[in-house]
Amino acid sequence: MTATALFQRSTLLALVCGLLLVSSSAAVRAQEEGWSRLFPGHRVIGNLYAVGTYDLGVFLLASDAGHILINTGLEDSTPLIRRNIESLGFRLEDVKILLTMQAHWDHTGALAQIKALTGAELWATAGDVRVLEDGGLSDPQFGGHELFTPVRVDKVLRDGDLIELGGTRLTVHEHPGHTEGSSSYSMRVREDGRDYNVVIANMGTINPGKKLVGDAATYPGVADDFAKTFRSQKAMDVDVWVAAHGGQYGLHDKYQPGQAYSPETFVDPEGFQAAVERLERLFQRQLLSELSQIVEQ
Ligand SMILES: [Zn+2]
């Protein structure tokens, strides 16, 4: 790859999750470095473990009957994920179900490899099936060429579906907008006599350059999808939350490597509401701006 091609790829990578407005190649490199830097696997609460990188959220739901793995990081993330899973006393080979939160390659890159290694089934919501199966080729914002290794979806999930494996009972929430099939998952955990509502939330961030309305809309109905997602998330009863990027849920403020486990570490109901409301305000601001430009034309 030429230096120019490398820079273009880096810029695209930096844009894909819309966390930072990146204006220099140094900032791009810093963000990418956070995506691929090893971060110790740790228990979030109950049987939920974070096994991703410094910034990419990858989550293991462990059970005696096998595990569920949500997201996979970049194409080369498999060794880091395996190392984190093994450091917690589990085996990557025991993963039975693969789930995703959004069909963008910083979360789906290693799906095909981990599926082949484990023989696990990939379950996904209808809106993300096409992009998962063509490796991002038909991604309405970033597609046109393959962005990650295509991976076959074995089962289509719907809003409200219950995924059960061993003692794990996980509810599917369709939260589209960021991608057409973006989804969150929730469960209830009991620890020390207290019940915790836990959500693995796909946040409604808008990638730079994404358009919400009119002929330029990234996909038909994208604005309605975002609005529906914010409504749904604001109505959720959340005690503990994590998200697709560590930076979105304050991972590094809440948890330092080596910190002793406590079910309270990631309890943050106000933080969840505030994060959803902040993103909703950004969405409404962009929507108004796009609508006023259409009116002016
Ligand atoms: Zn994304």
Side-chain angles (χ1 to χ4, degrees):
M1 218 186 299
T2 66
T4 311
L6 193 63
F7 177 76
Q8 285 168 347
R9 168 97 173 137
S10 298
T11 307
L12 195 58
L13 276 168
L15 290 175
V16 76
C17 272
L19 278 178
L20 298 171
L21 283 172
V22 178
S23 58
S24 72
S25 58
V28 170
R29 280 196 299 275
Q31 186 179 9
E32 271 192 71
E33 197 268 333
W35 288 0
S36 46
R37 194 199 316 171
L38 182 71
F39 189 74
H42 54 278
R43 187 175 175 196
V44 176
I45 190 164
N47 68 335
L48 173 63
Y49 298 84
V51 295
T53 64
Y54 186 83
D55 188 58
L56 292 180
V58 181
F59 301 101
L60 185 80
L61 288 148
S63 92
D64 292 341
H67 314 316
I68 298 171
L69 188 71
I70 304 176
N71 300 339
T72 63
L74 301 166
E75 292 261 352
D76 59 1
S77 294
T78 306
L80 303 184
I81 294 168
R82 178 191 287 281
R83 184 168 154 177
N84 276 344
I85 290 176
E86 290 176 353
S87 77
L88 294 163
F90 304 109
R91 287 174 2 120
L92 179 69
E93 285 73 14
D94 292 333
V95 171
K96 301 280 188 244
I97 300 170
L98 292 164
L99 301 173
T100 65
M101 296 169 75
Q102 47 164 287
H104 278 156
W105 70 88
D106 48 334
H107 309 284
T108 60
L111 272 177
Q113 187 181 32
I114 291 181
K115 193 177 188 215
L117 283 170
T118 59
E121 290 199 352
L122 172 61
W123 297 359
T125 52
D128 270 353
V129 169
R130 186 194 70 243
V131 171
L132 288 166
E133 293 196 332
D134 68 20
L137 183 70
S138 65
D139 184 307
Q141 185 171 12
F142 301 107
H145 57 281
E146 203 173 285
L147 299 164
F148 56 91
T149 306
V151 57
R152 196 168 64 81
V153 175
D154 300 290
K155 180 175 172 176
V156 176
L157 296 168
R158 289 194 168 70
D159 192 65
D161 278 357
L162 188 65
I163 299 170
E164 292 186 88
L165 183 64
T168 305
R169 290 167 59 84
L170 201 60
T171 301
V172 177
H173 303 265
E174 290 190 80
H175 283 159
H178 185 82
T179 63
E180 293 166 83
S182 287
S183 45
S184 305
Y185 305 91
S186 70
M187 63 178 184
R188 221 168 154 82
V189 168
R190 188 165 185 84
E191 282 219 18
D192 301 333
R194 187 188 155 181
D195 284 326
Y196 296 86
N197 291 313
V198 179
V199 63
I200 300 138
N202 198 77
M203 306 305 283
T205 52
I206 303 173
N207 293 128
K210 184 163 180 150
K211 295 286 183 245
L212 301 173
V213 287
D215 295 339
T218 301
Y219 70 85
V222 58
D224 290 341
D225 276 358
F226 271 115
K228 195 173 67 183
T229 291
F230 294 126
R231 259 199 317 276
S232 162
Q233 291 186 339
K234 285 191 295 182
M236 289 179 105
D237 190 1
V238 175
D239 299 308
V240 167
W241 70 292
V242 291
H245 288 271
Q248 290 176 330
Y249 67 98
L251 166 61
H252 303 292
D253 297 325
K254 293 172 179 170
Y255 176 83
Q256 305 302 317
Q259 189 173 317
Y261 170 72
S262 160
E264 299 292 318
T265 299
F266 293 95
V267 170
D268 181 23
E270 297 86 6
F272 180 70
Q273 278 296 323
V276 172
E277 286 169 13
R278 186 183 74 84
L279 293 172
E280 187 180 36
R281 283 194 299 275
L282 291 173
F283 161 75
Q284 288 167 342
R285 194 183 306 165
Q286 181 171 333
L287 192 60
L288 275 176
S289 159
E290 285 188 35
L291 288 171
S292 65
Q293 281 167 24
I294 289 173
V295 170
E296 280 167 22
Q297 280 166 8

